[in-house]
mmCIF file of all heavy atoms in Angstrom:
data_model
loop_
_atom_site.group_PDB
_atom_site.id
_atom_site.type_symbol
_atom_site.label_atom_id
_atom_site.label_comp_id
_atom_site.label_asym_id
_atom_site.label_seq_id
_atom_site.Cartn_x
_atom_site.Cartn_y
_atom_site.Cartn_z
ATOM 1 N N SER E 1 151.113 124.520 73.910
ATOM 2 C CA SER E 1 152.044 124.793 72.833
ATOM 3 C C SER E 1 151.935 126.259 72.450
ATOM 4 O O SER E 1 150.923 126.906 72.704
ATOM 5 C CB SER E 1 151.778 123.908 71.610
ATOM 6 O OG SER E 1 150.491 124.161 71.070
ATOM 7 N N GLY E 2 152.989 126.757 71.853
ATOM 8 C CA GLY E 2 152.976 128.135 71.411
ATOM 9 C C GLY E 2 153.169 129.157 72.512
ATOM 10 O O GLY E 2 152.998 130.356 72.276
ATOM 11 N N ILE E 3 153.510 128.692 73.699
ATOM 12 C CA ILE E 3 153.773 129.581 74.818
ATOM 13 C C ILE E 3 155.042 129.119 75.523
ATOM 14 O O ILE E 3 155.494 127.988 75.319
ATOM 15 C CB ILE E 3 152.609 129.639 75.827
ATOM 16 C CG1 ILE E 3 152.414 128.267 76.479
ATOM 17 C CG2 ILE E 3 151.337 130.116 75.148
ATOM 18 C CD1 ILE E 3 151.428 128.274 77.622
ATOM 19 N N VAL E 4 155.591 129.998 76.330
ATOM 20 C CA VAL E 4 156.712 129.609 77.175
ATOM 21 C C VAL E 4 156.103 129.023 78.445
ATOM 22 O O VAL E 4 155.913 129.719 79.447
ATOM 23 C CB VAL E 4 157.632 130.795 77.470
ATOM 24 C CG1 VAL E 4 158.862 130.330 78.253
ATOM 25 C CG2 VAL E 4 158.067 131.476 76.179
ATOM 26 N N PHE E 5 155.803 127.759 78.398
ATOM 27 C CA PHE E 5 155.033 127.120 79.452
ATOM 28 C C PHE E 5 155.712 127.230 80.808
ATOM 29 O O PHE E 5 155.066 127.491 81.821
ATOM 30 C CB PHE E 5 154.781 125.654 79.094
ATOM 31 C CG PHE E 5 153.918 124.928 80.077
ATOM 32 C CD1 PHE E 5 152.548 125.085 80.057
ATOM 33 C CD2 PHE E 5 154.481 124.089 81.022
ATOM 34 C CE1 PHE E 5 151.743 124.414 80.956
ATOM 35 C CE2 PHE E 5 153.696 123.413 81.929
ATOM 36 C CZ PHE E 5 152.312 123.581 81.893
ATOM 37 N N ARG E 6 157.002 127.026 80.841
ATOM 38 C CA ARG E 6 157.727 126.998 82.102
ATOM 39 C C ARG E 6 157.701 128.336 82.826
ATOM 40 O O ARG E 6 158.014 128.390 84.017
ATOM 41 C CB ARG E 6 159.168 126.553 81.874
ATOM 42 C CG ARG E 6 159.989 127.511 81.035
ATOM 43 C CD ARG E 6 161.397 126.964 80.803
ATOM 44 N NE ARG E 6 162.184 127.868 79.975
ATOM 45 C CZ ARG E 6 162.893 128.880 80.444
ATOM 46 N NH1 ARG E 6 162.916 129.142 81.749
ATOM 47 N NH2 ARG E 6 163.587 129.649 79.616
ATOM 48 N N LEU E 7 157.353 129.402 82.128
ATOM 49 C CA LEU E 7 157.269 130.725 82.722
ATOM 50 C C LEU E 7 155.831 131.207 82.883
ATOM 51 O O LEU E 7 155.615 132.370 83.231
ATOM 52 C CB LEU E 7 158.054 131.737 81.887
ATOM 53 C CG LEU E 7 159.555 131.480 81.741
ATOM 54 C CD1 LEU E 7 160.193 132.555 80.874
ATOM 55 C CD2 LEU E 7 160.229 131.423 83.102
ATOM 56 N N SER E 8 154.875 130.335 82.650
ATOM 57 C CA SER E 8 153.479 130.724 82.635
ATOM 58 C C SER E 8 152.721 130.147 83.809
ATOM 59 O O SER E 8 152.702 128.927 84.007
ATOM 60 C CB SER E 8 152.810 130.265 81.333
ATOM 61 O OG SER E 8 153.446 130.832 80.204
ATOM 62 N N ASP E 9 152.091 131.024 84.589
ATOM 63 C CA ASP E 9 151.085 130.556 85.526
ATOM 64 C C ASP E 9 149.936 129.955 84.725
ATOM 65 O O ASP E 9 149.582 130.459 83.658
ATOM 66 C CB ASP E 9 150.553 131.704 86.375
ATOM 67 C CG ASP E 9 151.572 132.225 87.367
ATOM 68 O OD1 ASP E 9 152.707 131.715 87.409
ATOM 69 O OD2 ASP E 9 151.227 133.164 88.117
ATOM 70 N N MET E 10 149.351 128.896 85.244
ATOM 71 C CA MET E 10 148.289 128.206 84.532
ATOM 72 C C MET E 10 147.077 128.009 85.425
ATOM 73 O O MET E 10 147.173 128.068 86.651
ATOM 74 C CB MET E 10 148.769 126.846 84.021
ATOM 75 C CG MET E 10 149.935 126.908 83.046
ATOM 76 S SD MET E 10 149.503 127.707 81.476
ATOM 77 C CE MET E 10 148.310 126.536 80.818
ATOM 78 N N GLY E 11 145.942 127.764 84.788
ATOM 79 C CA GLY E 11 144.731 127.526 85.545
ATOM 80 C C GLY E 11 143.791 126.578 84.842
ATOM 81 O O GLY E 11 143.843 126.418 83.623
ATOM 82 N N TRP E 12 142.949 125.953 85.643
ATOM 83 C CA TRP E 12 141.828 125.175 85.140
ATOM 84 C C TRP E 12 140.555 125.959 85.410
ATOM 85 O O TRP E 12 140.357 126.473 86.523
ATOM 86 C CB TRP E 12 141.751 123.803 85.804
ATOM 87 C CG TRP E 12 142.750 122.827 85.279
ATOM 88 C CD1 TRP E 12 143.947 122.496 85.818
ATOM 89 C CD2 TRP E 12 142.618 122.030 84.095
ATOM 90 N NE1 TRP E 12 144.585 121.551 85.057
ATOM 91 C CE2 TRP E 12 143.789 121.243 83.986
ATOM 92 C CE3 TRP E 12 141.624 121.901 83.112
ATOM 93 C CZ2 TRP E 12 143.998 120.346 82.931
ATOM 94 C CZ3 TRP E 12 141.839 121.017 82.069
ATOM 95 C CH2 TRP E 12 143.006 120.252 81.994
ATOM 96 N N PHE E 13 139.705 126.036 84.405
ATOM 97 C CA PHE E 13 138.494 126.834 84.454
ATOM 98 C C PHE E 13 137.281 125.960 84.205
ATOM 99 O O PHE E 13 137.364 124.951 83.512
ATOM 100 C CB PHE E 13 138.543 127.948 83.406
ATOM 101 C CG PHE E 13 139.723 128.863 83.535
ATOM 102 C CD1 PHE E 13 140.976 128.472 83.088
ATOM 103 C CD2 PHE E 13 139.587 130.117 84.100
ATOM 104 C CE1 PHE E 13 142.073 129.308 83.198
ATOM 105 C CE2 PHE E 13 140.673 130.968 84.215
ATOM 106 C CZ PHE E 13 141.914 130.566 83.769
ATOM 107 N N ARG E 14 136.166 126.367 84.763
ATOM 108 C CA ARG E 14 134.911 125.662 84.551
ATOM 109 C C ARG E 14 133.834 126.658 84.148
ATOM 110 O O ARG E 14 133.739 127.750 84.717
ATOM 111 C CB ARG E 14 134.475 124.919 85.818
ATOM 112 C CG ARG E 14 133.195 124.100 85.628
ATOM 113 C CD ARG E 14 132.767 123.421 86.923
ATOM 114 N NE ARG E 14 132.321 124.380 87.907
ATOM 115 C CZ ARG E 14 132.778 124.441 89.148
ATOM 116 N NH1 ARG E 14 133.710 123.577 89.560
ATOM 117 N NH2 ARG E 14 132.297 125.346 89.980
ATOM 118 N N GLN E 15 133.019 126.254 83.191
ATOM 119 C CA GLN E 15 131.900 127.069 82.761
ATOM 120 C C GLN E 15 130.654 126.202 82.666
ATOM 121 O O GLN E 15 130.697 125.090 82.142
ATOM 122 C CB GLN E 15 132.185 127.729 81.417
ATOM 123 C CG GLN E 15 131.115 128.719 80.982
ATOM 124 C CD GLN E 15 131.511 129.478 79.732
ATOM 125 O OE1 GLN E 15 132.140 128.936 78.832
ATOM 126 N NE2 GLN E 15 131.138 130.753 79.675
ATOM 127 N N VAL E 16 129.549 126.722 83.181
ATOM 128 C CA VAL E 16 128.260 126.057 83.077
ATOM 129 C C VAL E 16 127.303 127.004 82.372
ATOM 130 O O VAL E 16 127.506 128.227 82.371
ATOM 131 C CB VAL E 16 127.716 125.643 84.452
ATOM 132 C CG1 VAL E 16 128.666 124.668 85.125
ATOM 133 C CG2 VAL E 16 127.507 126.868 85.335
ATOM 134 N N PRO E 17 126.236 126.474 81.769
ATOM 135 C CA PRO E 17 125.297 127.344 81.046
ATOM 136 C C PRO E 17 124.755 128.456 81.919
ATOM 137 O O PRO E 17 124.327 128.225 83.051
ATOM 138 C CB PRO E 17 124.194 126.377 80.619
ATOM 139 C CG PRO E 17 124.885 125.056 80.507
ATOM 140 C CD PRO E 17 125.888 125.054 81.621
ATOM 141 N N GLY E 18 124.787 129.658 81.370
ATOM 142 C CA GLY E 18 124.233 130.796 82.074
ATOM 143 C C GLY E 18 125.130 131.400 83.126
ATOM 144 O O GLY E 18 124.718 132.354 83.801
ATOM 145 N N LYS E 19 126.326 130.863 83.279
ATOM 146 C CA LYS E 19 127.232 131.385 84.283
ATOM 147 C C LYS E 19 128.579 131.733 83.669
ATOM 148 O O LYS E 19 128.973 131.202 82.635
ATOM 149 C CB LYS E 19 127.433 130.379 85.414
ATOM 150 C CG LYS E 19 126.173 130.090 86.216
ATOM 151 C CD LYS E 19 126.462 129.167 87.382
ATOM 152 C CE LYS E 19 125.220 128.908 88.202
ATOM 153 N NZ LYS E 19 125.505 128.013 89.348
ATOM 154 N N GLU E 20 129.267 132.601 84.329
ATOM 155 C CA GLU E 20 130.579 133.042 83.882
ATOM 156 C C GLU E 20 131.609 131.942 84.079
ATOM 157 O O GLU E 20 131.555 131.178 85.037
ATOM 158 C CB GLU E 20 130.978 134.297 84.664
ATOM 159 C CG GLU E 20 132.322 134.872 84.300
ATOM 160 C CD GLU E 20 132.666 136.090 85.133
ATOM 161 O OE1 GLU E 20 131.736 136.715 85.688
ATOM 162 O OE2 GLU E 20 133.858 136.432 85.225
ATOM 163 N N ARG E 21 132.533 131.863 83.149
ATOM 164 C CA ARG E 21 133.640 130.938 83.304
ATOM 165 C C ARG E 21 134.509 131.388 84.476
ATOM 166 O O ARG E 21 134.877 132.558 84.577
ATOM 167 C CB ARG E 21 134.477 130.897 82.023
ATOM 168 C CG ARG E 21 135.654 129.941 82.070
ATOM 169 C CD ARG E 21 136.570 130.132 80.864
ATOM 170 N NE ARG E 21 135.989 129.640 79.623
ATOM 171 C CZ ARG E 21 135.585 130.408 78.612
ATOM 172 N NH1 ARG E 21 135.688 131.719 78.685
ATOM 173 N NH2 ARG E 21 135.073 129.854 77.521
ATOM 174 N N ILE E 22 134.817 130.463 85.355
ATOM 175 C CA ILE E 22 135.603 130.791 86.533
ATOM 176 C C ILE E 22 136.801 129.865 86.649
ATOM 177 O O ILE E 22 136.781 128.729 86.178
ATOM 178 C CB ILE E 22 134.768 130.709 87.824
ATOM 179 C CG1 ILE E 22 134.270 129.282 88.047
ATOM 180 C CG2 ILE E 22 133.618 131.695 87.790
ATOM 181 C CD1 ILE E 22 133.662 129.057 89.411
ATOM 182 N N MET E 23 137.818 130.357 87.288
ATOM 183 C CA MET E 23 138.981 129.536 87.574
ATOM 184 C C MET E 23 138.722 128.742 88.844
ATOM 185 O O MET E 23 138.356 129.309 89.865
ATOM 186 C CB MET E 23 140.220 130.411 87.745
ATOM 187 C CG MET E 23 141.503 129.623 87.987
ATOM 188 S SD MET E 23 142.947 130.686 88.303
ATOM 189 C CE MET E 23 143.136 131.482 86.706
ATOM 190 N N VAL E 24 138.917 127.447 88.776
ATOM 191 C CA VAL E 24 138.721 126.605 89.945
ATOM 192 C C VAL E 24 140.033 126.164 90.564
ATOM 193 O O VAL E 24 140.068 125.806 91.745
ATOM 194 C CB VAL E 24 137.850 125.374 89.623
ATOM 195 C CG1 VAL E 24 136.472 125.812 89.153
ATOM 196 C CG2 VAL E 24 138.517 124.489 88.575
#
């Protein structure tokens, strides 16, 4: 919500303790 979703590339990200959040 609050974005133009249909024009937005999207991603799923994962973060674990001590590591950088990355896009999977």
Side-chain angles (χ1 to χ4, degrees):
S1 63
I3 64 172
V4 185
F5 184 79
R6 65 182 179 87
L7 299 179
S8 300
D9 290 0
M10 299 294 294
W12 283 98
F13 303 78
R14 183 182 68 232
Q15 186 173 37
V16 299
K19 295 184 178 180
E20 180 181 339
R21 181 190 288 111
I22 63 169
M23 183 184 293
V24 299

